[in-house]
Amino acid sequence: MNLTNRPFHEIQVGDRAELVRLITPDDLYVFAAASGNYNPMHLIKSQDASDGIENSVAPGMFIASLISAVLGTKLPGAGTLYKHQTIDFHDRAHSGDELVCQVEVIEKKDNGNVVLSTKVLNKLSDQLILSGIAEVIAPKDKIHLDNVEIPGLIVQRHRHFELLVSRAQHLQKLATAVVCPHDVNSIGGAFLAAKQGIITPIFIGSQQVISDLANQLNESLDDFEVIDIKGDQAAASIACKLVHEKRVFAVMKGHLHTDDLLKPMLDKVNGLRVGRRFTHVFVMDVPGLDEPLLVTDAAINISPDLATKVDICQNAIDLALSLDMKPRVGVLSAVETVNPAIQSSIDAALLSKMADRGQIRGGFVDGPLAMDNAVDLAAARTKGIRGDVAGRANILVVPGLDAGNMLAKQLAFISHAEGAGLVLGASVPVILNSRSDSPMSRLASCAVASLYYKREL
């Protein structure tokens, strides 16, 4: 931004200036964090809010701060200091409104002060939001500043998951077998998803433990079926039986080891095999990204061979399509050129060619790509890599489980992402959460499963 001010001697009565500002939800979160004003009227409602309070009303002082932006950057501009401001509020502004902020010089004083009328209007309706009078100390000297920059801000709000949850709430509730919900987090996540209208859980495990946990959370089991059974694998086998009986259409992991959950599902007779490898996908909501980022496989296939990577790619593409994404698969390696000494680069090139020949369908596949030129367009262009995927990948296929697990956890703990986990390749989606996952992560996992199942019908 370039700034040029209007010193006192240049200002004339009748001079005007204005700026136009679209209010976004992030603006309201930033203002709340900076001011300490957490009034819920000014913030997007949480998923379980039902207090009847009108939300997303822009705080009055946030609107008033837009006047200071005109005074400090346009008229008089850089070097201006406040002396006095009166404010009258005539209407309310909300997230999504576009505002016009105007000032007009009405008096120049002998002491170097300037008096301006101030007002803010809704650009669409022309409704007056704010009016007042400002008195400022005008700058004495001409100031011109080039390339004024301030650090960018990324709000740690998981808007993509909020949208997915909203979409899932419009679908029929997904009957879900919750296997061994024997801790607060796993049973709490199921209750939360049920309250939000996403799933109808059937709890499978120790009835006594499940009942005790429900009481601990002040939740009632009256509306839910509980199947009392001992043993983790036995509970997982019951979940498979319910799938075959068409009583449930998803399975949710509770407090048990992933191997114990999946072993009955892999049984050739009574399991949930449908021809593809079971693969895991993290759907990551990374603050600052324009869409979710899928990372696969980070939980099941340790060192996948080429055939397994084909299923990893295809399962991820199918999931992305169910989320209304345009799948762009970046197959990762340490380098962006084929190196015979690096097997992942060879596999990536083969997967890319297989997609060209229609052996992987529904999305664009390119590789090998290093992490930088997979997700950053400038890095891809610098290295001369072009195409539909380079710099814009929204699905990252990793060389092996260790790399995928590290990548997903780096996104979670360094980039403050939330991750929804799903196992694909079975006859129904399998919701796979870790014990440390947040309520939003568990809720989003259920939403992703519901959207995926809806598309697969």
Side-chain angles (χ1 to χ4, degrees), residues 111-192:
N111 61 0
N113 290 2
V114 176
V115 181
L116 306 95
S117 66
T118 61
K119 61 182 178 179
V120 177
L121 303 99
N122 186 305
K123 184 177 181 181
L124 181 62
S125 66
D126 206 35
Q127 176 67 40
L128 181 64
I129 304 295
L130 173 156
S131 66
I133 300 294
E135 182 175 344
V136 300
I137 302 172
K140 296 179 180 180
D141 302 317
K142 190 72 173 181
I143 299 174
H144 180 80
L145 300 173
D146 293 325
N147 301 319
V148 176
E149 295 183 2
I150 60 173
L153 299 177
I154 296 177
V155 177
Q156 294 176 25
R157 182 168 68 88
H158 300 100
R159 67 196 74 196
H160 303 308
F161 278 1
E162 292 166 3
L163 177 60
L164 293 177
V165 169
S166 177
R167 287 177 52 200
Q169 288 172 327
H170 292 87
L171 302 177
Q172 184 176 352
K173 290 184 179 180
L174 187 66
T176 302
V178 185
V179 182
C180 298
H182 295 161
D183 71 333
V184 169
N185 287 337
S186 58
I187 197 170
F191 278 128
L192 177 61

Side-chain angles (χ1 to χ4, degrees), residues 92-397:
R92 301 299 173 189
H94 298 76
S95 172
D97 288 344
E98 194 169 17
L99 303 182
V100 181
C101 312
Q102 300 175 335
V103 301
E104 180 178 352
V105 177
I106 58 176
E107 183 183 356
K108 291 181 66 177
K109 294 186 175 182
D110 293 339
N111 61 0
N113 290 2
V114 176
V115 181
L116 306 95
S117 66
T118 61
K119 61 182 178 179
V120 177
L121 303 99
N122 186 305
K123 184 177 181 181
L124 181 62
S125 66
D126 206 35
Q127 176 67 40
L128 181 64
I129 304 295
L130 173 156
S131 66
I133 300 294
E135 182 175 344
V136 300
I137 302 172
K140 296 179 180 180
D141 302 317
K142 190 72 173 181
I143 299 174
H144 180 80
L145 300 173
D146 293 325
N147 301 319
V148 176
E149 295 183 2
I150 60 173
L153 299 177
I154 296 177
V155 177
Q156 294 176 25
R157 182 168 68 88
H158 300 100
R159 67 196 74 196
H160 303 308
F161 278 1
E162 292 166 3
L163 177 60
L164 293 177
V165 169
S166 177
R167 287 177 52 200
Q169 288 172 327
H170 292 87
L171 302 177
Q172 184 176 352
K173 290 184 179 180
L174 187 66
T176 302
V178 185
V179 182
C180 298
H182 295 161
D183 71 333
V184 169
N185 287 337
S186 58
I187 197 170
F191 278 128
L192 177 61
K195 285 181 179 179
Q196 293 299 317
I198 296 175
I199 69 170
T200 299
I202 296 178
F203 298 110
I204 307 171
S206 168
Q207 186 165 13
Q208 184 62 55
V209 173
I210 293 170
S211 178
D212 290 344
L213 288 169
N215 290 334
Q216 183 179 336
L217 294 172
N218 294 318
E219 298 285 357
S220 173
L221 291 168
D222 292 345
D223 296 328
F224 305 113
E225 181 179 356
V226 178
I227 298 177
D228 186 22
I229 190 167
K230 300 295 189 294
D232 293 351
Q233 288 191 23
S237 296
I238 292 295
C240 294
K241 183 173 181 290
L242 296 181
V243 172
H244 289 299
E245 293 173 354
K246 305 295 184 184
R247 293 184 58 198
V248 300
F249 305 98
V251 177
M252 185 175 184
K253 178 189 173 186
H255 188 65
L256 75 165
H257 198 280
T258 300
D259 289 346
D260 290 330
L261 176 70
L262 296 182
K263 186 174 181 179
M265 297 181 185
L266 293 169
D267 184 86
K268 294 182 179 180
V269 177
N270 299 313
L272 304 181
R273 289 174 177 264
V274 291
R276 282 190 200 166
R277 297 290 185 98
F278 282 19
T279 68
H280 179 270
V281 180
F282 272 122
V283 181
M284 307 296 295
D285 188 341
V286 185
L289 293 189
D290 294 334
E291 60 183 337
L293 180 66
L294 277 57
V295 177
T296 185
D297 182 333
I300 295 180
N301 294 284
I302 298 174
S303 298
D305 58 15
L306 180 63
T308 302
K309 287 182 179 179
V310 171
D311 286 347
I312 287 173
C313 287
Q314 192 63 65
N315 285 341
I317 288 172
D318 292 345
L319 178 59
L321 290 171
S322 73
L323 304 182
D324 287 341
M325 297 170 62
K326 183 178 181 180
R328 297 184 296 273
V329 181
V331 188
L332 298 182
S333 184
V335 293
E336 62 278 348
T337 56
V338 176
N339 185 332
I342 303 177
Q343 185 61 44
S344 60
S345 73
I346 299 173
D347 289 348
L350 292 172
L351 292 168
S352 179
K353 181 53 67 176
M354 292 172 77
D356 291 343
R357 299 290 174 86
Q359 293 172 271
I360 301 173
R361 300 176 300 278
F364 300 104
V365 181
D366 194 9
L369 293 172
M371 184 66 186
D372 57 346
N373 45 62
V375 298
D376 185 85
L377 199 57
R381 295 295 181 262
T382 297
K383 295 189 176 182
I385 306 172
R386 300 186 179 274
D388 296 299
V389 176
R392 298 183 296 164
N394 53 19
I395 299 173
L396 300 178
V397 174

